[in-house]
Amino acid sequence: MSKAPPLRLGVNIDHIATLRNARGGRHPDPLRAAFAAIEAGADGITAHLREDRRHIRDADMQRLKAEISKPLNFEMAATDDMVRIALGVKPHAVCLVPERREELTTEGGLDVVGQHNALAPVIARFTDAGIRTSLFIAADPAQIEMAARLKSPAIEIHTGAWCDAVNDGDMAKADAEWQRVVAGAALARSAGLEVHAGHGLDYATAETIAALPEIVELNIGFYMIGEALFVGLGETIRTMRAAMERGRARAVAA
Ligand code: PXP
């Protein structure tokens, strides 16, 4: 039996809204997707209010907060406008993500080293409001150490480079990226950060990463919404949970 802590699944429903917006009406409704995801075993719902509102809209966030029975994770850029909106919605958690090139590290995560002066007061405001912040960063030691210095309660390790390499069949790159994720998760946990991961995960990569005991939450969207077209959202989430459980069973306590 694994002694690793439970691994939560946050289901990102952005692309239900992408589909809805393609026709400009109300269907398919991201709130209905959130209900179905929770019914099938999601531990939380994740949604990204982008500055261009390309998928989730302000009213979606309000409805999600008002209606779902599980934690809402509000992904956002750390702009004044978004901070004001998030403080109004009062989600369980926010995940600060880069939206413009100048906010990105070379690895694609948020550049917390370059932006620490701007991020510190944002994290403090959310903490004061009882909202848990996580920073979406590459598994880079300098970024992780800065996240801990900024007293962010959590980070989310950007798994995109690893997943892309796996999907491209570039196993040398995939192995190097995986080693970075493994080392980053251990460093972050030892620095006192809660460790999450996400971006580009599918059944196989979610099963693999579930074996890392430091990681307590995965946020997964695009792959599952695509799978749901063929087998339904409930079946997709149950299959994802089973993959995560198989991986978790291989974890040894951190
Ligand atoms: N985590 C964060 C911070 C993200 O920005 C995204 C993409 O919106 C995800 C997780 C989910 O990634 P994907 O849709 O590729 O599963």
Side-chain angles (χ1 to χ4, degrees), residues 19-239:
L19 210 51
R20 174 198 60 192
N21 297 355
R23 277 282 175 101
R26 294 187 185 174
H27 178 82
D29 185 356
L31 184 61
R32 183 173 170 197
F35 288 146
I38 290 168
E39 173 78 25
D43 296 299
I45 297 298
T46 294
H48 184 178
L49 188 66
R50 297 189 68 101
E51 287 178 68
D52 63 7
R53 307 305 197 266
R54 75 176 67 153
H55 37 57
I56 293 292
R57 298 175 180 150
D58 302 54
D60 295 324
M61 283 295 191
Q62 296 286 358
R63 290 166 70 226
L64 287 165
K65 175 61 189 358
E67 307 241 3
I68 63 173
S69 57
K70 295 278 181 176
L72 173 63
N73 177 28
F74 187 136
E75 290 180 356
M76 52 176 273
T79 62
D80 291 346
D81 202 33
M82 280 296 159
V83 170
R84 182 184 53 73
I85 294 168
L87 288 170
V89 171
K90 294 194 184 63
H92 171 78
V94 294
C95 181
L96 300 182
V97 302
E99 285 197 11
R100 292 187 300 268
R101 288 245 50 98
E102 61 272 22
E103 298 165 340
L104 278 168
T105 60
T106 46
E107 289 90 8
L110 186 64
D111 183 10
V112 298
V113 172
Q115 294 181 65
H116 63 94
N117 284 335
L119 291 169
V122 173
I123 296 166
R125 280 185 81 184
F126 285 133
T127 299
D128 288 349
I131 299 168
R132 182 198 70 198
T133 301
S134 112
L135 302 175
F136 185 47
I137 58 176
D140 174 82
Q143 301 291 341
I144 292 166
E145 279 156 13
M146 183 56 79
R149 279 179 53 196
L150 289 174
K151 297 194 170 40
S152 180
I155 60 162
E156 180 165 322
I157 293 179
H158 194 318
T159 50
W162 170 54
C163 293
D164 284 349
V166 171
N167 290 332
D168 292 347
D170 184 344
M171 294 332 279
K173 176 140 196 274
D175 192 49
E177 292 294 343
W178 171 244
Q179 294 309 328
R180 276 158 44 87
V181 170
V182 172
L187 174 65
R189 188 69 206 105
S190 69
L193 292 156
E194 184 172 306
V195 191
H196 308 165
H199 202 89
L201 294 169
D202 61 13
Y203 295 140
T205 45
E207 180 172 341
T208 302
I209 203 168
L212 299 184
E214 298 88 355
I215 295 180
V216 296
E217 180 175 310
L218 299 180
N219 286 299
I220 311 179
F222 190 77
Y223 179 79
M224 289 202 298
I225 301 306
E227 274 295 287
L229 295 173
F230 303 106
V231 300
L233 191 54
E235 182 64 21
T236 302
I237 288 168
R238 285 187 289 275
T239 305

